[in-house]
Amino acid sequence: MTDPPPWAFEKPEIHPPDPSWAARGAAVRARIADLLAPWLAEGVDHIGSTSVPGLAAKPVLDVMASVRDLDEVVAAARARLEREGWCYVPPDLDVGAPWRRFFVQPDETGRHRRAHLHVLPSGHPRRTAQLTFRDALRADPSLAAEYTALKRELTRTASDREAYTQGKTEFVHRVLALRRED
């Protein structure tokens, strides 16, 4: 077994909002759409905090691709993605997310994450939840500010990346519940 890459243990760090995230997200989204075109179902979306204008975030772009068959994408497109610098994270290492296939694109140093690719099966409820959460933050600056405060607190208190992500879960569920009530 090989040693895990340094980016696997990178501690989350929140950066001030960066207006370039939108353009970078659009570029990554478009490139992934080209690379995965034969397998796409519902397209590719820029999600996560970098997709919300004015929101402080980890400077890691998250894109989500909806495909017809997860395993077919891994089998047929993995080499294509790897040539573009994407590293596949097998399901047994992608803790708590058996419903997706996950790729990380590290920076030139190999120490920091530049982007994440979440590959989901067409029609999966997680896609709707991701887009609903993103759009709720875009529409409500006070909600976005509350989320920023939570993320900053978690970067101080969470022991690792998984704890940081877990610490956001209650907030995300609350926002999604609010949106269902609207």
Side-chain angles (χ1 to χ4, degrees):
M1 181 166 168
T2 61
D3 290 334
W7 52 259
F9 302 105
E10 183 178 13
K11 186 164 173 40
E13 185 178 301
I14 303 300
H15 289 228
D18 184 340
S20 74
W21 289 338
R24 288 178 41 224
V28 171
R29 211 181 107 249
R31 185 64 187 138
I32 293 299
D34 285 345
L35 291 168
L36 299 184
W39 304 280
L40 286 178
E42 297 162 306
V44 181
D45 299 285
H46 182 192
I47 59 168
S49 295
T50 61
S51 70
V52 179
L55 186 65
K58 297 185 312 289
V60 180
L61 301 172
D62 283 278
V63 294
M64 176 178 59
S66 170
V67 300
R68 288 182 286 286
D69 186 309
L70 292 178
D71 296 323
E72 184 180 326
V73 167
V74 172
R78 180 176 172 179
R80 185 184 289 201
L81 289 163
E82 287 175 347
R83 282 192 297 274
E84 300 267 338
W86 292 96
C87 302
Y88 179 58
V89 179
D92 60 316
L93 298 178
D94 188 17
V95 179
W99 39 266
R100 74 172 177 191
R101 298 300 172 264
F102 189 58
F103 293 82
V104 173
Q105 187 180 56
D107 68 6
E108 299 78 20
T109 70
R111 302 194 65 73
H112 305 285
R113 297 165 187 241
R114 176 185 294 159
H116 294 154
L117 170 58
H118 309 256
V119 182
L120 278 68
S122 176
H124 196 282
R126 182 64 179 233
R127 179 175 186 271
T128 302
Q130 290 277 4
L131 296 174
T132 299
F133 184 72
R134 177 199 66 191
D135 293 347
L137 294 179
R138 284 178 173 177
D140 187 339
S142 65
L143 204 56
E146 185 180 348
Y147 190 50
T148 295
L150 172 63
K151 293 188 310 171
R152 285 193 170 123
E153 176 62 23
L154 289 169
T155 60
R156 286 190 291 277
T157 61
S159 57
D160 58 28
R161 191 172 203 84
E162 283 75 24
Y164 169 83
T165 300
Q166 187 62 36
K168 299 184 298 181
T169 301
E170 183 180 318
F171 180 86
V172 171
H173 288 302
R174 181 169 54 85
V175 170
L176 293 174
L178 288 170
R179 289 298 175 237
R180 280 193 294 274
E181 294 171 6
D182 286 348

PDB file of all heavy atoms in Angstrom, residues 142-162:
ATOM      1  N   SER A 142     -27.744  36.784   5.333  1.00  0.00           N
ATOM      2  CA  SER A 142     -27.619  36.499   6.767  1.00  0.00           C
ATOM      3  C   SER A 142     -27.348  35.014   7.006  1.00  0.00           C
ATOM      4  O   SER A 142     -26.584  34.652   7.906  1.00  0.00           O
ATOM      5  CB  SER A 142     -28.851  36.966   7.542  1.00  0.00           C
ATOM      6  OG  SER A 142     -29.984  36.238   7.159  1.00  0.00           O
ATOM      7  N   LEU A 143     -27.944  34.169   6.203  1.00  0.00           N
ATOM      8  CA  LEU A 143     -27.688  32.737   6.283  1.00  0.00           C
ATOM      9  C   LEU A 143     -26.237  32.439   5.888  1.00  0.00           C
ATOM     10  O   LEU A 143     -25.545  31.648   6.547  1.00  0.00           O
ATOM     11  CB  LEU A 143     -28.649  31.999   5.345  1.00  0.00           C
ATOM     12  CG  LEU A 143     -28.972  30.557   5.614  1.00  0.00           C
ATOM     13  CD1 LEU A 143     -29.528  30.353   7.012  1.00  0.00           C
ATOM     14  CD2 LEU A 143     -29.973  30.068   4.563  1.00  0.00           C
ATOM     15  N   ALA A 144     -25.761  33.088   4.851  1.00  0.00           N
ATOM     16  CA  ALA A 144     -24.369  32.928   4.414  1.00  0.00           C
ATOM     17  C   ALA A 144     -23.403  33.392   5.500  1.00  0.00           C
ATOM     18  O   ALA A 144     -22.387  32.738   5.759  1.00  0.00           O
ATOM     19  CB  ALA A 144     -24.141  33.681   3.106  1.00  0.00           C
ATOM     20  N   ALA A 145     -23.727  34.493   6.166  1.00  0.00           N
ATOM     21  CA  ALA A 145     -22.864  34.997   7.237  1.00  0.00           C
ATOM     22  C   ALA A 145     -22.842  34.019   8.417  1.00  0.00           C
ATOM     23  O   ALA A 145     -21.784  33.774   9.020  1.00  0.00           O
ATOM     24  CB  ALA A 145     -23.348  36.370   7.702  1.00  0.00           C
ATOM     25  N   GLU A 146     -23.991  33.445   8.736  1.00  0.00           N
ATOM     26  CA  GLU A 146     -24.059  32.453   9.816  1.00  0.00           C
ATOM     27  C   GLU A 146     -23.216  31.221   9.463  1.00  0.00           C
ATOM     28  O   GLU A 146     -22.499  30.675  10.310  1.00  0.00           O
ATOM     29  CB  GLU A 146     -25.520  32.064  10.050  1.00  0.00           C
ATOM     30  CG  GLU A 146     -25.730  31.141  11.209  1.00  0.00           C
ATOM     31  CD  GLU A 146     -27.203  30.762  11.409  1.00  0.00           C
ATOM     32  OE1 GLU A 146     -28.103  31.375  10.798  1.00  0.00           O
ATOM     33  OE2 GLU A 146     -27.437  29.824  12.193  1.00  0.00           O
ATOM     34  N   TYR A 147     -23.292  30.815   8.218  1.00  0.00           N
ATOM     35  CA  TYR A 147     -22.509  29.661   7.763  1.00  0.00           C
ATOM     36  C   TYR A 147     -21.009  29.955   7.824  1.00  0.00           C
ATOM     37  O   TYR A 147     -20.219  29.109   8.268  1.00  0.00           O
ATOM     38  CB  TYR A 147     -22.945  29.288   6.350  1.00  0.00           C
ATOM     39  CG  TYR A 147     -22.394  27.977   5.848  1.00  0.00           C
ATOM     40  CD1 TYR A 147     -22.494  26.810   6.603  1.00  0.00           C
ATOM     41  CD2 TYR A 147     -21.796  27.892   4.600  1.00  0.00           C
ATOM     42  CE1 TYR A 147     -22.005  25.603   6.127  1.00  0.00           C
ATOM     43  CE2 TYR A 147     -21.302  26.690   4.115  1.00  0.00           C
ATOM     44  CZ  TYR A 147     -21.414  25.546   4.889  1.00  0.00           C
ATOM     45  OH  TYR A 147     -20.925  24.358   4.405  1.00  0.00           O
ATOM     46  N   THR A 148     -20.624  31.149   7.427  1.00  0.00           N
ATOM     47  CA  THR A 148     -19.214  31.551   7.505  1.00  0.00           C
ATOM     48  C   THR A 148     -18.720  31.489   8.947  1.00  0.00           C
ATOM     49  O   THR A 148     -17.634  30.965   9.215  1.00  0.00           O
ATOM     50  CB  THR A 148     -19.014  32.966   6.931  1.00  0.00           C
ATOM     51  OG1 THR A 148     -19.315  32.939   5.536  1.00  0.00           O
ATOM     52  CG2 THR A 148     -17.599  33.458   7.129  1.00  0.00           C
ATOM     53  N   ALA A 149     -19.504  32.014   9.870  1.00  0.00           N
ATOM     54  CA  ALA A 149     -19.107  31.997  11.285  1.00  0.00           C
ATOM     55  C   ALA A 149     -18.934  30.555  11.783  1.00  0.00           C
ATOM     56  O   ALA A 149     -17.971  30.251  12.497  1.00  0.00           O
ATOM     57  CB  ALA A 149     -20.138  32.741  12.125  1.00  0.00           C
ATOM     58  N   LEU A 150     -19.851  29.687  11.412  1.00  0.00           N
ATOM     59  CA  LEU A 150     -19.753  28.284  11.810  1.00  0.00           C
ATOM     60  C   LEU A 150     -18.475  27.661  11.247  1.00  0.00           C
ATOM     61  O   LEU A 150     -17.732  26.979  11.955  1.00  0.00           O
ATOM     62  CB  LEU A 150     -20.981  27.506  11.326  1.00  0.00           C
ATOM     63  CG  LEU A 150     -20.913  25.989  11.502  1.00  0.00           C
ATOM     64  CD1 LEU A 150     -20.819  25.610  12.980  1.00  0.00           C
ATOM     65  CD2 LEU A 150     -22.119  25.326  10.834  1.00  0.00           C
ATOM     66  N   LYS A 151     -18.204  27.895   9.967  1.00  0.00           N
ATOM     67  CA  LYS A 151     -17.008  27.308   9.348  1.00  0.00           C
ATOM     68  C   LYS A 151     -15.733  27.826  10.005  1.00  0.00           C
ATOM     69  O   LYS A 151     -14.796  27.050  10.236  1.00  0.00           O
ATOM     70  CB  LYS A 151     -16.994  27.594   7.846  1.00  0.00           C
ATOM     71  CG  LYS A 151     -18.104  26.874   7.116  1.00  0.00           C
ATOM     72  CD  LYS A 151     -18.008  26.982   5.623  1.00  0.00           C
ATOM     73  CE  LYS A 151     -17.825  28.397   5.168  1.00  0.00           C
ATOM     74  NZ  LYS A 151     -17.522  28.482   3.744  1.00  0.00           N
ATOM     75  N   ARG A 152     -15.704  29.089  10.328  1.00  0.00           N
ATOM     76  CA  ARG A 152     -14.514  29.646  11.004  1.00  0.00           C
ATOM     77  C   ARG A 152     -14.322  28.997  12.379  1.00  0.00           C
ATOM     78  O   ARG A 152     -13.205  28.680  12.775  1.00  0.00           O
ATOM     79  CB  ARG A 152     -14.627  31.156  11.107  1.00  0.00           C
ATOM     80  CG  ARG A 152     -14.369  31.832   9.780  1.00  0.00           C
ATOM     81  CD  ARG A 152     -14.154  33.333   9.928  1.00  0.00           C
ATOM     82  NE  ARG A 152     -13.689  33.877   8.682  1.00  0.00           N
ATOM     83  CZ  ARG A 152     -14.292  34.852   8.020  1.00  0.00           C
ATOM     84  NH1 ARG A 152     -15.377  35.410   8.510  1.00  0.00           N
ATOM     85  NH2 ARG A 152     -13.795  35.284   6.872  1.00  0.00           N
ATOM     86  N   GLU A 153     -15.419  28.829  13.097  1.00  0.00           N
ATOM     87  CA  GLU A 153     -15.340  28.177  14.408  1.00  0.00           C
ATOM     88  C   GLU A 153     -14.843  26.734  14.256  1.00  0.00           C
ATOM     89  O   GLU A 153     -13.994  26.278  15.028  1.00  0.00           O
ATOM     90  CB  GLU A 153     -16.707  28.208  15.102  1.00  0.00           C
ATOM     91  CG  GLU A 153     -16.751  27.478  16.422  1.00  0.00           C
ATOM     92  CD  GLU A 153     -15.816  28.058  17.488  1.00  0.00           C
ATOM     93  OE1 GLU A 153     -15.439  29.253  17.407  1.00  0.00           O
ATOM     94  OE2 GLU A 153     -15.450  27.310  18.402  1.00  0.00           O
ATOM     95  N   LEU A 154     -15.348  26.033  13.268  1.00  0.00           N
ATOM     96  CA  LEU A 154     -14.941  24.639  13.074  1.00  0.00           C
ATOM     97  C   LEU A 154     -13.477  24.517  12.678  1.00  0.00           C
ATOM     98  O   LEU A 154     -12.823  23.534  13.046  1.00  0.00           O
ATOM     99  CB  LEU A 154     -15.834  23.967  12.029  1.00  0.00           C
ATOM    100  CG  LEU A 154     -17.267  23.693  12.493  1.00  0.00           C
ATOM    101  CD1 LEU A 154     -18.140  23.283  11.322  1.00  0.00           C
ATOM    102  CD2 LEU A 154     -17.279  22.635  13.591  1.00  0.00           C
ATOM    103  N   THR A 155     -12.942  25.490  11.961  1.00  0.00           N
ATOM    104  CA  THR A 155     -11.508  25.411  11.621  1.00  0.00           C
ATOM    105  C   THR A 155     -10.658  25.551  12.879  1.00  0.00           C
ATOM    106  O   THR A 155      -9.525  25.061  12.899  1.00  0.00           O
ATOM    107  CB  THR A 155     -11.079  26.469  10.578  1.00  0.00           C
ATOM    108  OG1 THR A 155     -11.324  27.770  11.085  1.00  0.00           O
ATOM    109  CG2 THR A 155     -11.772  26.257   9.247  1.00  0.00           C
ATOM    110  N   ARG A 156     -11.201  26.183  13.900  1.00  0.00           N
ATOM    111  CA  ARG A 156     -10.467  26.315  15.173  1.00  0.00           C
ATOM    112  C   ARG A 156     -10.636  25.083  16.061  1.00  0.00           C
ATOM    113  O   ARG A 156      -9.747  24.756  16.834  1.00  0.00           O
ATOM    114  CB  ARG A 156     -10.939  27.557  15.939  1.00  0.00           C
ATOM    115  CG  ARG A 156     -10.455  28.869  15.361  1.00  0.00           C
ATOM    116  CD  ARG A 156     -10.749  30.041  16.282  1.00  0.00           C
ATOM    117  NE  ARG A 156     -12.173  30.354  16.385  1.00  0.00           N
ATOM    118  CZ  ARG A 156     -12.853  31.105  15.514  1.00  0.00           C
ATOM    119  NH1 ARG A 156     -12.240  31.619  14.482  1.00  0.00           N
ATOM    120  NH2 ARG A 156     -14.129  31.343  15.693  1.00  0.00           N
ATOM    121  N   THR A 157     -11.780  24.415  15.975  1.00  0.00           N
ATOM    122  CA  THR A 157     -12.090  23.371  16.950  1.00  0.00           C
ATOM    123  C   THR A 157     -12.097  21.945  16.402  1.00  0.00           C
ATOM    124  O   THR A 157     -11.900  21.010  17.182  1.00  0.00           O
ATOM    125  CB  THR A 157     -13.470  23.642  17.585  1.00  0.00           C
ATOM    126  OG1 THR A 157     -14.470  23.624  16.562  1.00  0.00           O
ATOM    127  CG2 THR A 157     -13.485  24.968  18.327  1.00  0.00           C
ATOM    128  N   ALA A 158     -12.328  21.769  15.127  1.00  0.00           N
ATOM    129  CA  ALA A 158     -12.415  20.410  14.566  1.00  0.00           C
ATOM    130  C   ALA A 158     -11.027  19.772  14.518  1.00  0.00           C
ATOM    131  O   ALA A 158     -10.046  20.428  14.170  1.00  0.00           O
ATOM    132  CB  ALA A 158     -13.036  20.449  13.178  1.00  0.00           C
ATOM    133  N   SER A 159     -10.972  18.504  14.841  1.00  0.00           N
ATOM    134  CA  SER A 159      -9.684  17.807  14.900  1.00  0.00           C
ATOM    135  C   SER A 159      -9.145  17.442  13.523  1.00  0.00           C
ATOM    136  O   SER A 159      -7.942  17.282  13.351  1.00  0.00           O
ATOM    137  CB  SER A 159      -9.822  16.547  15.754  1.00  0.00           C
ATOM    138  OG  SER A 159     -10.837  15.708  15.224  1.00  0.00           O
ATOM    139  N   ASP A 160     -10.019  17.291  12.543  1.00  0.00           N
ATOM    140  CA  ASP A 160      -9.577  16.926  11.198  1.00  0.00           C
ATOM    141  C   ASP A 160     -10.654  17.314  10.189  1.00  0.00           C
ATOM    142  O   ASP A 160     -11.704  17.850  10.538  1.00  0.00           O
ATOM    143  CB  ASP A 160      -9.242  15.433  11.104  1.00  0.00           C
ATOM    144  CG  ASP A 160     -10.415  14.527  11.469  1.00  0.00           C
ATOM    145  OD1 ASP A 160     -11.583  14.921  11.297  1.00  0.00           O
ATOM    146  OD2 ASP A 160     -10.153  13.410  11.939  1.00  0.00           O
ATOM    147  N   ARG A 161     -10.398  17.016   8.925  1.00  0.00           N
ATOM    148  CA  ARG A 161     -11.301  17.374   7.834  1.00  0.00           C
ATOM    149  C   ARG A 161     -12.685  16.747   7.994  1.00  0.00           C
ATOM    150  O   ARG A 161     -13.701  17.370   7.723  1.00  0.00           O
ATOM    151  CB  ARG A 161     -10.647  16.963   6.514  1.00  0.00           C
ATOM    152  CG  ARG A 161     -11.322  17.484   5.305  1.00  0.00           C
ATOM    153  CD  ARG A 161     -10.459  17.180   4.070  1.00  0.00           C
ATOM    154  NE  ARG A 161     -10.806  18.104   3.034  1.00  0.00           N
ATOM    155  CZ  ARG A 161     -10.315  19.327   2.910  1.00  0.00           C
ATOM    156  NH1 ARG A 161      -9.427  19.784   3.744  1.00  0.00           N
ATOM    157  NH2 ARG A 161     -10.712  20.110   1.931  1.00  0.00           N
ATOM    158  N   GLU A 162     -12.719  15.488   8.413  1.00  0.00           N
ATOM    159  CA  GLU A 162     -14.007  14.804   8.588  1.00  0.00           C
ATOM    160  C   GLU A 162     -14.819  15.448   9.716  1.00  0.00           C
ATOM    161  O   GLU A 162     -16.029  15.619   9.591  1.00  0.00           O
ATOM    162  CB  GLU A 162     -13.804  13.303   8.841  1.00  0.00           C
ATOM    163  CG  GLU A 162     -13.481  12.508   7.598  1.00  0.00           C
ATOM    164  CD  GLU A 162     -12.047  12.706   7.113  1.00  0.00           C
ATOM    165  OE1 GLU A 162     -11.162  13.072   7.927  1.00  0.00           O
ATOM    166  OE2 GLU A 162     -11.802  12.529   5.913  1.00  0.00           O
TER     167      GLU A 162
END
